[in-house]
Amino acid sequence: MSPSLSAPQLHGSCLCGAVTYQVAGPFNMMVHCHCSMCRKHHGAAFATFVGAPLMGFKWLSGEDQIVSYVSSEKGRRDHCRHCGSVTPTLLKEMDLALVPAGNLEGDPGIRPQGHVFVGSKASWYAITDDLPQHEEFPPEFGVGGVERPVVEPREGVVLGSCLCNSITYEITGKPLRSANCHCSRCRRARSAAHASNLFYKLEDFRFTRQDAAIGDYRVPGAKYFGVSWCTKCGAAVPRVSKERNAVVVPAGALDTDPGLQPAMHIHVGNKACWFEITDTIPQFETAPPV
């Protein structure tokens, strides 16, 4: 994968601002990852990472506020303990800083170069761009994926879980709304190009296992906006909103097909400059009409 010709220096942060960092280019890779672990960790349809030389990365604050979870023999997943945002991974053996693009401010000067692990992509997400697709990692990476158990579907029930399986849940009934949200809050919260959320009635949702604490962060000054995550593995989990009698479910964390695709793109006026919308789903500059 060819490096960016420019060498910008960008700042990044988690949703709550406790963890901040700067990373200097040239950025040498940018890929969308559709593996089930990335989808669960971010709660999004896919995760997007940029890579840069390790010497250009610097923590500015909050490095001691990062929780790390060993997700497999091949890797780990890091997140902010206060808001659950995914934080960068530093791979010293590869001289690489792997940064979630959704948390960067500004233009990295590079655009996505392909999709990896499309063999594991969400059934409800359709890839509509013309970027190269790889079933797992591209051959030049020289490594394979991690085999994960498949959750058997149940008639009339949508199942979901966190990455470490400490938190599981089930949903019945039809969603009230579904959307891809491109606002800066959602991008930081999911550490991705956009959030893909489903909204269900509270009565149609229940947790079936809670063997780890659920973190909850509400953006100061926001009427409703907040996120929830498993404090053990950092994976996004549904957020119960009692004041709205609803549950916001991160679609990427689902184990079985919810039976529909997101119905709209919202807040596209605030979308990431490096992400191009190529599908035909209706778009709205800000919030959708009520």
Side-chain angles (χ1 to χ4, degrees):
M1 295 183 177
S2 59
S4 168
L5 297 177
S6 60
Q9 180 168 289
L10 301 182
H11 283 74
S13 71
C14 63
L15 178 63
C16 72
V19 179
T20 61
Y21 44 89
Q22 67 181 28
V23 57
F27 296 100
N28 49 32
M29 62 167 282
M30 188 179 206
V31 295
H32 299 313
C33 184
H34 296 261
C35 80
S36 62
M37 287 198 286
C38 277
R39 286 190 284 110
K40 281 187 176 295
H41 198 213
H42 295 251
F46 54 87
T48 305
F49 296 99
V50 292
L54 197 58
M55 65 178 296
F57 183 89
K58 180 182 179 181
W59 295 109
L60 299 178
S61 67
E63 185 179 2
D64 59 346
Q65 301 303 309
I66 295 173
V67 177
S68 185
Y69 171 72
V70 178
S71 54
S72 72
E73 295 180 356
K74 299 182 179 182
R76 72 176 196 275
R77 307 275 168 165
D78 299 332
H79 68 277
C80 170
R81 69 172 66 250
H82 301 291
C83 66
S85 290
V86 177
T87 56
T89 299
L90 307 184
L91 303 173
K92 295 182 180 179
E93 67 278 10
M94 299 176 65
D95 187 30
L96 180 69
L98 203 57
V99 183
N103 296 90
L104 290 175
E105 302 171 9
D107 190 342
I110 191 172
R111 296 297 180 262
Q113 298 156 319
H115 298 267
V116 298
F117 286 95
V118 298
S120 303
K121 82 170 185 67
S123 58
W124 48 266
Y125 181 78
I127 298 174
T128 55
D129 59 43
D130 58 1
L131 296 175
Q133 299 181 28
H134 304 275
E135 283 292 298
E136 292 191 353
F137 281 122
E140 61 265 30
F141 278 47
V143 293
V146 176
E147 193 72 25
R148 286 177 53 80
V150 176
V151 176
E152 291 297 324
R154 286 166 45 198
E155 185 70 27
V157 181
V158 178
L159 304 173
S161 64
C162 68
L163 184 57
C164 66
N165 210 43
S166 294
I167 298 170
T168 61
Y169 47 92
E170 62 181 34
I171 311 160
T172 57
K174 295 181 179 180
L176 301 170
R177 191 175 70 170
S178 61
N180 291 329
C181 184
H182 296 261
C183 78
S184 59
R185 285 175 176 171
C186 276
R187 285 189 278 115
R188 278 192 169 85
R190 300 290 185 230
S191 303
H194 57 74
S196 294
N197 292 324
L198 302 172
F199 297 78
Y200 288 89
K201 292 180 181 178
L202 187 57
E203 63 195 51
D204 293 336
F205 174 89
R206 76 182 185 99
F207 286 108
T208 53
R209 180 187 301 133
Q210 285 184 264
D211 293 339
I214 295 177
D216 188 83
Y217 175 75
R218 188 167 184 165
V219 174
K223 187 175 181 180
Y224 296 119
F225 192 93
V227 288
S228 294
W229 68 97
C230 171
T231 57
K232 180 179 178 180
C233 65
V237 299
R239 186 170 193 268
V240 174
S241 178
K242 292 183 178 179
E243 63 267 45
R244 289 188 287 179
N245 193 36
V247 179
V248 183
V249 178
L254 295 177
D255 292 312
T256 59
D257 193 340
L260 80 168
Q261 295 181 340
M264 65 189 82
H265 291 279
I266 62 176
H267 292 288
V268 298
N270 195 220
K271 79 172 183 67
C273 62
W274 45 264
F275 182 73
E276 182 182 359
I277 300 173
T278 56
D279 59 42
T280 58
I281 298 172
Q283 300 180 28
F284 299 92
E285 282 290 300
T286 56
V290 177

